[in-house]
Amino acid sequence: MWLWRGVWWSGGRRRSRLAGTALGVVLLAAAAHAQPAPIPSIFDPLSRPADEIYTLSLFVLGICAVIFVVVGGLLVTSIVRFRRRPDDDGREPPQVYGSNPIELAWTVVPLLIVFVLFLVTTRSIIAIERAAPPADALEVRVIGHQWWWEFRYPAQGVVTANELHVPAGRATFLTLESADVVHSFWVPQLNGKTDVIPNRVNRMWIEPRDAGLYIGQCAEYCGTQHARMLLRVVAHAPADFDAWVASQRGEAVHDPSVQAGRDLFQSVACINCHRIGGTVADGVFGPDLTHLMSRATIAAGAADNTAANLHAWIANPDALKPGALMPAMKLSDAQITQVVAYLTTLQ
């Protein structure tokens, strides 16, 4: 764990909390609701930055294994060789006070090991941190909120939440910001952890080799729902990514059959926090709902994105995500049904 943190202690206050990380690792798989995803592991790298970290991890683990074998071997040898025997006369054995060769060895060898680890870790940090964006790199602005992720694609004019869509085989550079407290962006198979800090901009990049779903997690304790601040990275084949961008650029679907739900949505406080393109809803405090049903989950991975879960979420957000900042709208069951009918048309 020291190594994993050390790789990313650069660019100013990049850190992680061990307790939050341990809980996050346990809950990462919970984000994979809608489709199978590989088990998130640093030992299954699927991106160039993750490859660099993986190689460094194996090197350090190898050194630690050698140290363990040497120290353990000396300990076992000492226990066996110098154990008390039946024929001992009980006298204290000869005492040796100091040994210059031994003291020199246990001072110089650890210093050399630390120096080597410092050099290889620095090389890995520089290789990852100073990588220049290629001409075709995708730029995405990532904003951490309590407790969800906002993704903005400046060049494409797309805004979405909790699901980061990127092209496979092409570098994506992320600008990381926070709207409230310290978060940490972590997708184990794509890169290391990078803190998302208020009033500061951090950068990281990913380059998934293959199309597919990659599961991530906020790795910095950020409040009561830190463990459910999950994220999904969906890597597309280039043509599929272009199609996804085109679908996200359009305004919300207008289905006359759910006009009652649309009118009700626009008449309550929902529009103060959420935006739906082509309507009067232009809030910025909650996720953009223009293409809500294109996402696999709601509440940052807390539940599958289904009509039943949307109904439960609107009726009582605390039931799905205790402490969630979204208030219960106090609508009747019939009114919630109308709103959900409208929301499910937002493809």
Side-chain angles (χ1 to χ4, degrees), residues 65-272:
V66 171
I67 294 173
F68 176 81
V69 170
V70 171
V71 173
L74 290 174
L75 179 61
V76 171
T77 300
S78 299
I79 292 173
V80 173
R81 182 175 179 183
F82 301 107
R83 71 189 185 280
R84 185 180 182 89
R85 292 179 170 82
D87 58 347
D88 285 347
D89 57 12
R91 289 182 297 177
E92 186 175 351
Q95 301 299 299
V96 178
Y97 295 95
S99 169
N100 289 336
I102 292 177
E103 291 182 5
L104 186 64
W106 71 38
T107 300
V108 172
V109 172
L111 284 176
L112 289 175
I113 292 173
V114 171
F115 183 65
V116 169
L117 292 178
F118 172 79
L119 290 179
V120 297
T121 300
T122 301
R123 186 199 67 81
S124 294
I125 290 174
I126 292 174
I128 297 172
E129 291 291 307
R130 295 190 179 178
D136 65 342
L138 175 67
E139 290 283 346
V140 181
R141 183 184 174 199
V142 180
I143 305 172
H145 300 262
Q146 289 179 307
W147 291 274
W148 59 283
W149 298 98
E150 179 179 2
F151 300 112
R152 293 181 171 270
Y153 299 71
Q156 289 74 25
V158 170
V159 179
T160 187
N162 301 318
E163 294 185 2
L164 174 63
H165 291 254
V166 300
R170 176 178 160 196
T172 297
F173 279 70
L174 309 175
T175 300
L176 305 173
E177 307 170 41
S178 173
D180 35 56
V181 300
V182 177
H183 303 281
S184 186
F185 190 95
W186 184 36
V187 185
Q189 293 176 296
L190 301 182
N191 206 327
K193 305 166 189 168
T194 303
D195 269 9
V196 184
I197 303 172
N199 303 315
R200 180 180 179 83
V201 175
N202 281 335
R203 294 269 290 174
M204 70 180 297
W205 63 287
I206 59 177
E207 189 179 279
R209 286 193 291 272
D210 303 313
L213 175 64
Y214 303 87
I215 303 302
Q217 164 76 39
C218 176
E220 180 82 23
Y221 182 73
C222 56
T224 57
Q225 287 302 312
H226 157 70
R228 290 187 179 179
M229 190 172 171
L230 306 171
L231 63 97
R232 300 160 65 88
V233 177
V234 183
H236 300 273
D240 293 337
F241 176 73
D242 292 340
W244 177 83
V245 169
S247 70
Q248 295 292 306
R249 279 176 172 162
E251 293 187 343
V253 173
H254 178 51
D255 185 345
S257 67
V258 293
Q259 186 65 44
R262 174 180 168 133
D263 293 341
L264 182 58
F265 181 90
Q266 294 182 129
S267 67
V268 295
C270 301
I271 61 175
N272 295 330

